[in-house]
Amino acid sequence: MVKKYASLLSADASDYKKIIRDLEQRGFTGFHFDIMDGHFVKNFAFNATIIKSLRKLTKLPFQAHLEIENPGEYIDMFIDSGCQIITVHPQTCNLERELRYIRTKNALASVAIDPELEIDVIKRYMSLIDNIVVMSVYPGFGNQKFNEKSLKKIKNIKRIIEENDLEITVSVDGGIDSKTEYLAIENGTDILIFGSSLFE
Ligand code: DX5
Ligand code: ZN
């Protein structure tokens, strides 16, 4: 059964409480928070204080998607704010060190692969990874068009996982709506991350 996470990046902040309750009732599995620092991406979004407040509204899992430089410095902060899944981008950090550290904190170690990156960048760390986020848009902004090239990447990653009998879930982030979700599922996605299409 495919799981659905909701990214609140494009949601109306004055309505977070109602939105979280509604999405919970609609059967969403968890919430995805895009943390942006104005450096790794040219945008700002969320922080640990906001996440800690929202944590009171639901028991569903929270994923921190760290679209920031030096994410290793902030792993504790986001785990302490109530996130169970921590996602980092390989080009921003010492990937092996951060993945190992996330697991020592009993959180799920997750890595995001940008459209221009190949699977090779993570291949040798597969045994340290719990979840792979295939970016189907360039990180930084909501409401971008789904990049169909990500489908082949999802398929390849899924094949590697199956061939090696690994326990890694594959997520897709960016441009997911009622049409693209089926393409993602057909190619093996386990977790769909919905953003702006929820709030149009
Ligand atoms: C982009 C973010 C996504 C974004 C998805 O940097 O990582 O999580 O919120 O939003 P949509 O679905 O609008 O592309
Ligand atoms: Zn995201």
Side-chain angles (χ1 to χ4, degrees):
M1 183 69 175
V2 174
K3 293 180 174 171
K4 294 183 177 187
Y5 272 67
S7 159
L8 297 187
L9 184 63
S10 301
D12 180 346
S14 67
D15 239 359
Y16 281 161
K17 195 170 183 172
K18 183 175 176 298
I19 288 168
I20 287 176
R21 298 248 157 95
D22 284 354
L23 291 167
E24 189 164 11
Q25 278 178 357
R26 283 170 59 186
F28 273 76
T29 314
F31 293 92
H32 175 100
F33 293 100
D34 293 301
I35 326 294
M36 302 184 185
D37 65 352
H39 287 280
F40 176 57
V41 294
K42 298 292 171 208
N43 198 1
F44 292 93
F46 291 102
N47 61 39
T49 312
I50 298 171
I51 293 175
K52 204 170 172 187
S53 302
L54 298 178
R55 189 63 282 183
K56 297 178 199 152
L57 301 174
T58 174
K59 292 197 162 43
L60 292 180
F62 279 5
Q63 174 175 34
H65 180 185
L66 301 180
E67 290 158 283
I68 62 178
E69 298 291 350
N70 301 320
E73 289 180 34
Y74 304 97
I75 291 168
D76 283 336
M77 184 185 275
F78 287 98
I79 289 178
D80 293 345
S81 75
C83 296
Q84 291 77 30
I85 308 158
I86 305 288
T87 302
V88 297
H89 287 252
Q91 64 273 51
T92 61
C93 64
N94 177 332
L95 187 61
E96 178 173 351
R97 184 187 64 194
E98 319 319 355
L99 292 170
R100 285 188 191 280
Y101 186 68
I102 295 166
R103 279 191 174 172
T104 65
K105 304 287 284 185
N106 290 323
L108 295 178
S110 167
V111 57
I113 312 182
D114 288 354
E116 77 275 17
L117 291 185
E118 295 304 325
I119 319 164
D120 300 353
V121 296
I122 58 160
K123 251 186 188 161
R124 76 182 116 128
Y125 306 111
M126 293 300 255
S127 64
L128 303 173
I129 298 173
D130 299 303
N131 175 66
I132 297 170
V133 178
V134 175
M135 295 301 301
S136 37
V137 297
Y138 284 94
F141 295 89
N143 210 8
Q144 303 179 70
K145 193 176 174 296
F146 181 83
N147 180 343
E148 297 211 359
K149 286 188 188 151
S150 61
L151 296 171
K152 197 172 150 206
K153 204 182 271 178
I154 293 167
K155 207 170 191 170
N156 285 337
I157 291 172
K158 201 66 192 183
R159 184 179 43 78
I160 296 169
I161 292 170
E162 279 163 12
E163 281 173 4
N164 294 283
D165 213 7
L166 295 163
E167 283 194 36
I168 301 175
T169 49
V170 179
S171 307
V172 62
D173 187 14
I176 296 293
D177 59 24
S178 55
K179 291 196 186 93
T180 55
E181 71 172 304
Y182 293 106
L183 301 174
I185 294 169
E186 267 169 24
N187 285 277
T189 303
D190 304 298
I191 301 172
L192 299 158
I193 299 161
F194 286 84
S196 52
S197 66
L198 296 172
F199 308 109
E200 273 154 5

PDB file of all heavy atoms in Angstrom, residues 12-23 54 57:
ATOM      1  N   ASP A  12      -1.559  27.488   3.638  1.00  0.00           N
ATOM      2  CA  ASP A  12      -1.789  28.781   4.282  1.00  0.00           C
ATOM      3  C   ASP A  12      -1.477  28.634   5.774  1.00  0.00           C
ATOM      4  O   ASP A  12      -2.173  27.932   6.505  1.00  0.00           O
ATOM      5  CB  ASP A  12      -3.260  29.172   4.061  1.00  0.00           C
ATOM      6  CG  ASP A  12      -3.610  30.508   4.686  1.00  0.00           C
ATOM      7  OD1 ASP A  12      -2.811  31.019   5.514  1.00  0.00           O
ATOM      8  OD2 ASP A  12      -4.684  31.031   4.360  1.00  0.00           O
ATOM      9  N   ALA A  13      -0.417  29.306   6.219  1.00  0.00           N
ATOM     10  CA  ALA A  13       0.058  29.136   7.609  1.00  0.00           C
ATOM     11  C   ALA A  13      -1.006  29.512   8.633  1.00  0.00           C
ATOM     12  O   ALA A  13      -1.011  28.994   9.754  1.00  0.00           O
ATOM     13  CB  ALA A  13       1.322  29.945   7.824  1.00  0.00           C
ATOM     14  N   SER A  14      -1.930  30.392   8.274  1.00  0.00           N
ATOM     15  CA  SER A  14      -2.966  30.790   9.242  1.00  0.00           C
ATOM     16  C   SER A  14      -3.968  29.664   9.470  1.00  0.00           C
ATOM     17  O   SER A  14      -4.812  29.751  10.350  1.00  0.00           O
ATOM     18  CB  SER A  14      -3.675  32.056   8.764  1.00  0.00           C
ATOM     19  OG  SER A  14      -4.408  31.776   7.590  1.00  0.00           O
ATOM     20  N   ASP A  15      -3.846  28.627   8.682  1.00  0.00           N
ATOM     21  CA  ASP A  15      -4.821  27.526   8.712  1.00  0.00           C
ATOM     22  C   ASP A  15      -4.185  26.175   9.047  1.00  0.00           C
ATOM     23  O   ASP A  15      -4.819  25.139   8.862  1.00  0.00           O
ATOM     24  CB  ASP A  15      -5.434  27.415   7.306  1.00  0.00           C
ATOM     25  CG  ASP A  15      -6.927  27.605   7.323  1.00  0.00           C
ATOM     26  OD1 ASP A  15      -7.479  27.806   8.414  1.00  0.00           O
ATOM     27  OD2 ASP A  15      -7.525  27.521   6.234  1.00  0.00           O
ATOM     28  N   TYR A  16      -2.950  26.161   9.503  1.00  0.00           N
ATOM     29  CA  TYR A  16      -2.231  24.893   9.709  1.00  0.00           C
ATOM     30  C   TYR A  16      -3.026  23.881  10.542  1.00  0.00           C
ATOM     31  O   TYR A  16      -3.048  22.696  10.238  1.00  0.00           O
ATOM     32  CB  TYR A  16      -0.886  25.122  10.398  1.00  0.00           C
ATOM     33  CG  TYR A  16       0.230  25.605   9.504  1.00  0.00           C
ATOM     34  CD1 TYR A  16       1.351  26.224  10.050  1.00  0.00           C
ATOM     35  CD2 TYR A  16       0.191  25.431   8.120  1.00  0.00           C
ATOM     36  CE1 TYR A  16       2.398  26.659   9.252  1.00  0.00           C
ATOM     37  CE2 TYR A  16       1.234  25.875   7.320  1.00  0.00           C
ATOM     38  CZ  TYR A  16       2.332  26.485   7.889  1.00  0.00           C
ATOM     39  OH  TYR A  16       3.365  26.924   7.094  1.00  0.00           O
ATOM     40  N   LYS A  17      -3.676  24.378  11.600  1.00  0.00           N
ATOM     41  CA  LYS A  17      -4.366  23.461  12.513  1.00  0.00           C
ATOM     42  C   LYS A  17      -5.457  22.678  11.777  1.00  0.00           C
ATOM     43  O   LYS A  17      -5.506  21.452  11.825  1.00  0.00           O
ATOM     44  CB  LYS A  17      -4.974  24.273  13.656  1.00  0.00           C
ATOM     45  CG  LYS A  17      -5.409  23.459  14.829  1.00  0.00           C
ATOM     46  CD  LYS A  17      -5.757  24.393  15.976  1.00  0.00           C
ATOM     47  CE  LYS A  17      -6.142  23.597  17.198  1.00  0.00           C
ATOM     48  NZ  LYS A  17      -6.303  24.503  18.356  1.00  0.00           N
ATOM     49  N   LYS A  18      -6.291  23.399  11.059  1.00  0.00           N
ATOM     50  CA  LYS A  18      -7.391  22.765  10.325  1.00  0.00           C
ATOM     51  C   LYS A  18      -6.830  21.859   9.219  1.00  0.00           C
ATOM     52  O   LYS A  18      -7.301  20.734   9.011  1.00  0.00           O
ATOM     53  CB  LYS A  18      -8.283  23.846   9.710  1.00  0.00           C
ATOM     54  CG  LYS A  18      -9.486  23.294   8.989  1.00  0.00           C
ATOM     55  CD  LYS A  18     -10.402  24.420   8.512  1.00  0.00           C
ATOM     56  CE  LYS A  18     -11.553  23.853   7.694  1.00  0.00           C
ATOM     57  NZ  LYS A  18     -11.098  23.174   6.478  1.00  0.00           N
ATOM     58  N   ILE A  19      -5.816  22.343   8.532  1.00  0.00           N
ATOM     59  CA  ILE A  19      -5.231  21.579   7.421  1.00  0.00           C
ATOM     60  C   ILE A  19      -4.671  20.244   7.922  1.00  0.00           C
ATOM     61  O   ILE A  19      -4.909  19.180   7.320  1.00  0.00           O
ATOM     62  CB  ILE A  19      -4.128  22.422   6.727  1.00  0.00           C
ATOM     63  CG1 ILE A  19      -4.769  23.564   5.928  1.00  0.00           C
ATOM     64  CG2 ILE A  19      -3.260  21.559   5.819  1.00  0.00           C
ATOM     65  CD1 ILE A  19      -3.787  24.617   5.436  1.00  0.00           C
ATOM     66  N   ILE A  20      -3.961  20.283   9.031  1.00  0.00           N
ATOM     67  CA  ILE A  20      -3.363  19.049   9.567  1.00  0.00           C
ATOM     68  C   ILE A  20      -4.471  18.065   9.974  1.00  0.00           C
ATOM     69  O   ILE A  20      -4.408  16.876   9.645  1.00  0.00           O
ATOM     70  CB  ILE A  20      -2.404  19.372  10.741  1.00  0.00           C
ATOM     71  CG1 ILE A  20      -1.140  20.020  10.156  1.00  0.00           C
ATOM     72  CG2 ILE A  20      -2.068  18.130  11.562  1.00  0.00           C
ATOM     73  CD1 ILE A  20      -0.121  20.503  11.170  1.00  0.00           C
ATOM     74  N   ARG A  21      -5.491  18.568  10.633  1.00  0.00           N
ATOM     75  CA  ARG A  21      -6.602  17.687  11.025  1.00  0.00           C
ATOM     76  C   ARG A  21      -7.267  17.067   9.792  1.00  0.00           C
ATOM     77  O   ARG A  21      -7.551  15.874   9.768  1.00  0.00           O
ATOM     78  CB  ARG A  21      -7.661  18.479  11.822  1.00  0.00           C
ATOM     79  CG  ARG A  21      -7.116  19.050  13.102  1.00  0.00           C
ATOM     80  CD  ARG A  21      -7.719  18.378  14.337  1.00  0.00           C
ATOM     81  NE  ARG A  21      -6.833  18.528  15.482  1.00  0.00           N
ATOM     82  CZ  ARG A  21      -6.937  19.501  16.399  1.00  0.00           C
ATOM     83  NH1 ARG A  21      -7.913  20.389  16.318  1.00  0.00           N
ATOM     84  NH2 ARG A  21      -6.093  19.577  17.401  1.00  0.00           N
ATOM     85  N   ASP A  22      -7.524  17.886   8.775  1.00  0.00           N
ATOM     86  CA  ASP A  22      -8.204  17.412   7.553  1.00  0.00           C
ATOM     87  C   ASP A  22      -7.366  16.331   6.863  1.00  0.00           C
ATOM     88  O   ASP A  22      -7.884  15.292   6.464  1.00  0.00           O
ATOM     89  CB  ASP A  22      -8.404  18.553   6.540  1.00  0.00           C
ATOM     90  CG  ASP A  22      -9.529  19.480   6.941  1.00  0.00           C
ATOM     91  OD1 ASP A  22     -10.225  19.176   7.932  1.00  0.00           O
ATOM     92  OD2 ASP A  22      -9.682  20.522   6.267  1.00  0.00           O
ATOM     93  N   LEU A  23      -6.075  16.586   6.735  1.00  0.00           N
ATOM     94  CA  LEU A  23      -5.220  15.625   6.020  1.00  0.00           C
ATOM     95  C   LEU A  23      -5.110  14.326   6.807  1.00  0.00           C
ATOM     96  O   LEU A  23      -5.069  13.238   6.226  1.00  0.00           O
ATOM     97  CB  LEU A  23      -3.838  16.234   5.759  1.00  0.00           C
ATOM     98  CG  LEU A  23      -3.834  17.381   4.735  1.00  0.00           C
ATOM     99  CD1 LEU A  23      -2.513  18.135   4.775  1.00  0.00           C
ATOM    100  CD2 LEU A  23      -4.106  16.851   3.323  1.00  0.00           C
ATOM    101  N   LEU A  54       3.645  22.588  15.763  1.00  0.00           N
ATOM    102  CA  LEU A  54       2.741  21.747  14.966  1.00  0.00           C
ATOM    103  C   LEU A  54       2.725  20.314  15.506  1.00  0.00           C
ATOM    104  O   LEU A  54       1.737  19.595  15.341  1.00  0.00           O
ATOM    105  CB  LEU A  54       3.157  21.770  13.489  1.00  0.00           C
ATOM    106  CG  LEU A  54       3.103  23.151  12.834  1.00  0.00           C
ATOM    107  CD1 LEU A  54       3.592  23.077  11.388  1.00  0.00           C
ATOM    108  CD2 LEU A  54       1.691  23.732  12.876  1.00  0.00           C
ATOM    109  N   LEU A  57      -0.267  18.972  17.311  1.00  0.00           N
ATOM    110  CA  LEU A  57      -1.556  18.817  16.627  1.00  0.00           C
ATOM    111  C   LEU A  57      -1.828  17.406  16.109  1.00  0.00           C
ATOM    112  O   LEU A  57      -2.938  17.102  15.712  1.00  0.00           O
ATOM    113  CB  LEU A  57      -1.635  19.798  15.444  1.00  0.00           C
ATOM    114  CG  LEU A  57      -1.497  21.276  15.803  1.00  0.00           C
ATOM    115  CD1 LEU A  57      -1.433  22.112  14.532  1.00  0.00           C
ATOM    116  CD2 LEU A  57      -2.668  21.728  16.670  1.00  0.00           C
TER     117      LEU A  57
END
